[in-house]
Amino acid sequence: MKDTSIAGIGEFSGKTVTLEGWLYNRRGSKKLQFLQIRDGSGTIQAVVALADVGEELFELASGLNQEASLRVTGEVKPDDRAPSGFEMLVSGIELVADSVDYPISPKDHGVDFLLENRHLWLRSSKQHALMRIRGTLISALREFFDKEGYLLVDAPIFTPSSVEGTTTLFEVEYFGDKAYLTQSGQLYMEAAAAAHGKVYCFGPTFRAEKSKTRRHLTEFWMLEPEIAFANLDDVMEIQEQMLEFVTAKVLAKHRDELERVLERDCTPLEKVKAPFPRVHYDEAIAMLKEKGQDLEWGGDFGGEDETILTKAFDRPIFVHRFPAAIKAFYMAPDPEDLKYSLSVDCLAPEGYGEIIGGGQRADNLEYLQERIAEHNLPSGPYEWYLDLRRYGSFPHAGFGIGIERTLAWLTGRQHIRECIPFPRLMHRIQP
Ligand code: ATP
């Protein structure tokens, strides 16, 4: 392995170095070949001149296939037009392994074909940018919670019971018993919050929803903080600070990839500054009715409703106090009016819709027992959860932010399937 990376090539200006990578693209004439070399850290143009390298090497360069792996040696020269700021004047090429008939050419392919070839599609420039921004988003989220004094506590993936009923769960056989893949780590974080105060988990979650929308995956990643002695207002404040922090990090590190590679207009992202508008559920219903949406008080919002709501604002918004009847059993009721719950969704602007769901948790034992019965949930598996209300119950609140939906909004993608390395959809589990 060589130490030189394309991202760090500036250090070697004027020097001769060897790069290891793949041929992204090639064009040229009988005397000059322009190789686009990528190594994961970046892309650089390597210029091969017949006059400099002689016939044998020039012939090798002229016959190189897309995605062949290479070691390329040459002098690094500044070039203002190049995205990396440099190009390379080639003096040597070693073909590591050929790549014959690479299926993804620079021409347009249908999305099914690309998803079929996801293992290769990841190398394309837009997909490369998306995964890099995903990495930054995750590390910025973790940085935010770590610096604010939260402890990372991992939640289990196999669970004996569901968070919200079993209809949207993947059931697995567990040594002769039934278990489910987790759909949220929240209940476990509530236990952890009683031990550590401020905690979060980060991991994959699974939903067997038969949703074929651009916002639903069957496996997605979620970061879920839970905070002891926090209320609904506190979690709204934490969410807006968090989104302001991570958006600024993504912009600082990836503006060029966003604008040049993904063609994302960054102006709306610059407006992601606290405070975000807070819209009561009733106000949201009134706004939607005014826009001609056919929905009654008491219903949940569909994707189109969320799109309409977000288009009225220039930054993310909070919709709070959904009717208790449409929210999970653990949501705290609003003491001012028990029809409402102390719940909140954060909707991303530009039509993206819900990226975060959360709220204050019910901390009264009898209330929770009634709600569990009302929801027809078996009480046995929740006894441990109810213990948290038996032994030093405490007001607490938290939320879950979906990584793929947040990334789709930040990067301006239409569909969240490009926002995870290997998407799992209702009709896709390959590759
Ligand atoms: P929706 O109503 O849009 O299906 P939800 O209300 O079930 O979502 P929550 O249970 O509140 O979502 O989950 C918290 C967050 O997890 C959501 O805001 C979203 O970012 C993400 N999320 C939920 N379901 C999915 C999914 N199927 N695919 C991708 N992300 C999801």
Side-chain angles (χ1 to χ4, degrees):
M1 198 188 99
K2 295 276 182 300
D3 289 341
T4 331
S5 72
I6 294 173
I9 203 82
E11 275 179 54
F12 300 94
S13 186
K15 301 210 170 81
T16 294
V17 298
T18 298
L19 293 174
E20 296 175 310
W22 296 262
L23 182 74
Y24 192 62
N25 209 345
R26 176 175 62 77
R27 64 189 170 82
S29 63
K30 291 203 168 103
K31 292 196 172 139
L32 277 178
Q33 286 288 319
F34 298 97
L35 314 179
Q36 297 296 326
I37 311 284
R38 55 164 204 91
D39 72 346
S41 79
T43 309
I44 192 167
Q45 174 162 279
V47 184
V48 191
L50 174 62
D52 293 342
V53 300
E55 266 179 33
E56 198 182 330
L57 202 62
F58 191 78
E59 207 170 299
L60 171 71
S62 319
L64 285 175
N65 286 314
Q66 187 189 351
E67 289 305 318
S69 48
L70 310 166
R71 282 193 192 92
V72 185
T73 304
E75 189 191 333
V76 179
K77 295 199 51 167
D79 177 6
D80 289 344
R81 291 157 309 168
S84 67
F86 296 90
E87 67 170 21
M88 178 183 248
L89 296 183
V90 175
S91 51
I93 300 175
E94 181 194 337
L95 179 62
V96 178
D98 204 355
S99 157
V100 180
D101 297 334
Y102 185 70
I104 305 178
S105 55
K107 72 166 197 235
D108 271 352
H109 294 282
V111 76
D112 273 334
F113 175 84
L114 291 169
L115 285 171
E116 213 53 60
N117 287 286
R118 183 61 172 167
H119 53 296
L120 302 175
W121 190 25
L122 285 173
R123 305 179 189 190
S124 300
S125 58
K126 283 196 171 64
Q127 303 308 311
H128 180 264
L130 284 168
M131 288 308 113
R132 280 169 52 94
I133 300 171
R134 181 183 166 104
T136 298
L137 169 62
I138 293 169
S139 64
L141 281 168
R142 295 208 35 199
E143 187 185 338
F144 176 81
F145 287 103
D146 293 344
K147 86 179 168 60
E148 297 290 321
Y150 288 66
L151 181 72
L152 172 70
V153 178
D154 301 310
I157 305 258
F158 285 132
T159 57
S161 58
S162 78
V163 176
E164 300 179 20
T166 54
T167 48
T168 58
L169 288 183
F170 285 104
E171 193 178 298
V172 288
E173 213 238 41
Y174 196 79
F175 304 109
D177 262 337
K178 274 185 197 167
Y180 305 94
L181 298 184
T182 183
Q183 66 180 167
S184 162
Q186 179 202 317
L187 304 189
Y188 296 96
M189 288 307 101
E190 292 186 47
H196 295 280
K198 299 202 281 188
V199 295
Y200 69 96
C201 63
F202 174 59
T205 45
F206 306 86
R207 306 250 171 127
E209 296 168 300
K210 295 202 167 74
S211 311
K212 284 191 274 180
T213 76
R214 63 191 176 87
R215 302 172 182 188
H216 290 91
L217 298 164
T218 56
E219 178 181 306
F220 64 96
W221 287 68
M222 189 154 59
L223 189 143
E224 296 176 273
E226 194 68 37
I227 310 109
F229 298 100
N231 62 24
L232 179 65
D233 289 332
D234 296 326
V235 283
M236 288 196 256
E237 270 175 39
I238 296 164
Q239 288 178 37
E240 62 195 2
Q241 286 163 10
M242 169 192 82
L243 286 180
E244 184 177 322
F245 180 83
V246 300
T247 308
K249 285 267 165 183
V250 164
L251 277 176
K253 197 161 172 197
H254 299 284
R255 186 179 282 274
D256 176 60
E257 283 157 301
L258 285 164
E259 289 179 347
R260 187 176 52 81
V261 183
L262 297 168
E263 294 160 31
R264 169 65 159 124
D265 172 10
C266 289
T267 328
L269 297 181
E270 279 151 14
K271 299 193 180 127
V272 181
K273 298 263 188 284
F276 301 163
R278 282 137 168 87
V279 182
H280 190 286
Y281 173 84
D282 289 358
E283 272 174 79
I285 290 281
M287 284 173 66
L288 288 167
K289 280 194 169 160
E290 200 172 294
K291 297 269 177 205
Q293 286 300 97
D294 180 21
L295 89 171
E296 290 308 318
W297 192 96
D300 205 352
F301 303 138
E304 198 188 325
D305 300 318
E306 290 181 4
T307 299
I308 293 172
L309 282 175
T310 68
K311 289 210 162 147
F313 300 91
D314 70 348
R315 65 194 69 201
I317 61 167
F318 295 119
V319 180
H320 59 91
R321 292 183 169 77
F322 285 81
I326 56 168
K327 283 291 174 184
F329 75 90
Y330 51 72
M331 284 290 181
D334 183 352
E336 311 228 319
D337 186 341
L338 300 181
K339 322 197 266 300
Y340 299 101
S341 61
L342 296 178
S343 53
V344 59
D345 281 359
C346 179
L347 312 186
E350 301 172 81
Y352 278 91
E354 184 190 331
I355 54 171
I356 308 176
Q360 196 172 323
R361 322 306 187 186
D363 50 42
N364 179 284
L365 178 64
E366 288 74 36
Y367 176 83
L368 270 173
Q369 283 168 324
E370 278 164 31
R371 295 284 287 166
I372 287 174
E374 253 171 56
H375 280 243
N376 291 321
L377 296 168
S379 58
Y382 294 101
E383 282 306 317
W384 70 264
Y385 182 68
L386 295 174
D387 273 354
L388 306 175
R389 277 74 185 170
R390 290 188 182 104
Y391 306 109
S393 192
F394 57 116
H396 58 290
F399 58 90
I401 172 165
I403 297 299
E404 294 75 17
R405 288 204 197 162
T406 307
L407 184 64
W409 157 55
L410 291 172
T411 58
R413 294 302 91 189
Q414 273 307 307
H415 200 297
I416 64 169
R417 65 192 160 205
E418 287 177 54
C419 296
I420 185 161
F422 294 95
R424 297 303 177 228
L425 301 156
M426 213 178 128
H427 296 297
R428 177 168 301 283
I429 193 167
Q430 287 282 345

